[in-house]
Amino acid sequence: MSDQVVPLPQDLVLLPLSAVPGPRQLAEWSLRGPVAFVDAEFFGGTGSQRAQVWDQGRSVLGPLVREEDDPMPGVTPISQALRRLGVVKGEHHDEFDAVGLGRHRDTEDWVTSAE
């Protein structure tokens, strides 16, 4: 696990990971509070998203997947996960924007911004 914690708005933190943790690890982490695993891959405006939320040691949302060739109307998987964590979009386009997840494109950039 990375030790680079990145503060986000609305009392959230982002923990950029170089390796995907297993469901058991995420469930264990969620014993201390809700945890969302989110993943996005975009290039040229198209891409895919994955999200799942754990709380109290069990999965409470997802896994949600939206692949590159799927239409993206409505709420995206990541925004659904953020809603489950209590994020309010307010005047922003969606929950993803409300917490600033569009600031960086690569995991490495998030790690650097935490230093």
Side-chain angles (χ1 to χ4, degrees):
M1 175 171 77
S2 169
D3 59 356
Q4 300 295 327
V5 175
V6 181
L8 296 176
Q10 302 192 35
D11 295 322
L12 294 180
V13 296
L14 174 71
L15 183 61
L17 301 171
S18 57
V20 177
R24 286 185 185 190
Q25 180 66 64
L26 291 160
E28 182 180 315
W29 290 342
S30 78
L31 292 172
R32 296 158 92 182
V35 172
F37 176 81
V38 300
D39 179 54
E41 295 181 29
F42 283 89
F43 183 77
T46 62
S48 61
Q49 286 191 10
R50 285 167 284 296
Q52 190 165 357
V53 178
W54 287 261
D55 195 9
Q56 297 298 308
R58 63 184 177 86
S59 177
V60 294
L61 178 70
L64 305 173
V65 178
R66 185 94 33 98
E67 294 298 339
E68 182 176 329
D69 55 350
D70 292 343
M72 282 203 154
V75 182
T76 64
I78 293 175
S79 284
Q80 289 181 60
L82 292 170
R83 277 186 188 176
R84 182 67 191 225
L85 295 179
V87 171
V88 177
K89 75 176 189 174
E91 297 295 320
H92 298 276
H93 174 72
D94 58 15
E95 293 80 4
F96 186 95
D97 287 337
V99 297
L101 288 178
R103 280 188 304 189
H104 300 295
R105 293 181 178 265
D106 298 310
T107 301
E108 296 79 23
D109 293 338
W110 284 103
V111 170
T112 301
S113 74
E115 297 176 334

